Structure formats: C-alpha cells, structure tokens
Amino acid sequence: HQIWVKLKERIQASSLELSHAQDMADARIAFEELSEIMIEAVQTFGTAGIEPLHLSFCPMAFNNKGADWLQLGKEIRNPYFGSQMLMCGEIIKTLGEK
C-alpha cells in the first residue's frame, strides 16, 4: 500500500507538470518523467488483466539519450517525435502478456 501511495503522488505531480507545459520541449520532458513512473507502477503491480502493454524505446529522444514509454498495440507510435517520426523506436518488452 505504501508503495502505491508514493507512486500515486508522483503520478499526480508529474501529470500536473505535463498539463502546465508551455511548449513541446517541456511536454516531452514531463512526459518522460510520467512514463518512467508508469513503467515502474506496471512493473510493480502488473496490468490487472488488461490488454498487454508494450515497453517501447526511442533511441533518438533527447539528443540520442533515448526514452521509454508504454503503449497498447505492437505498432510503434512514438510520443516523443509524433508525426515527424511516428514509427521511430522499438518494443523492448511486453508486460502483462497472458
């Protein structure tokens, strides 16, 4: 329970930061933080039987530092580059697969 409470607080703070982003650069930074928290939550608690989530990675995000995100479906939909490079990235792990 304590783990969830801490994750929930971090999710709320990160979501608020994302909602207040002034531009796409700020939004990407806030989204990366939120994604890392959500990945941690799913790895800790699982997916509760919903459709499997795919841990995906874009090697080019943040000047080639790379960044992760969770997505439904196996077709890459890169949230860091959007329509500019929608399919840039790869699925590195499937979570909650039955």
Side-chain angles (χ1 to χ4, degrees):
H1 177 73
Q2 292 174 336
I3 294 170
W4 170 247
V5 170
K6 288 181 182 185
L7 282 169
K8 179 182 160 211
E9 289 170 358
R10 290 172 55 207
I11 289 168
Q12 289 172 327
S14 185
S15 296
L16 186 61
E17 187 176 322
L18 180 58
S19 73
H20 289 106
Q22 297 295 311
D23 56 32
M24 287 305 294
D26 288 345
R28 286 183 184 105
I29 291 167
F31 179 78
E32 179 189 29
E33 181 180 344
L34 180 58
S35 289
E36 291 300 322
I37 299 165
M38 294 303 297
I39 291 164
E40 183 179 343
V42 169
Q43 289 177 330
T44 301
F45 296 105
T47 60
I50 64 168
E51 184 178 338
L53 294 172
H54 303 286
L55 176 59
S56 303
F57 176 73
C58 173
M60 297 176 65
F62 302 107
N63 294 318
N64 298 319
K65 178 189 102 179
D68 297 322
W69 73 93
L70 293 171
Q71 68 172 44
L72 293 170
K74 292 185 178 181
E75 188 173 346
I76 291 292
R77 294 288 188 235
N78 187 322
Y80 294 101
F81 288 107
S83 62
Q84 293 173 321
M85 295 176 64
L86 188 59
M87 297 181 168
C88 176
E90 64 181 319
I91 293 173
I92 56 175
K93 186 175 184 181
T94 299
L95 307 168
E97 199 166 41
K98 296 179 181 178

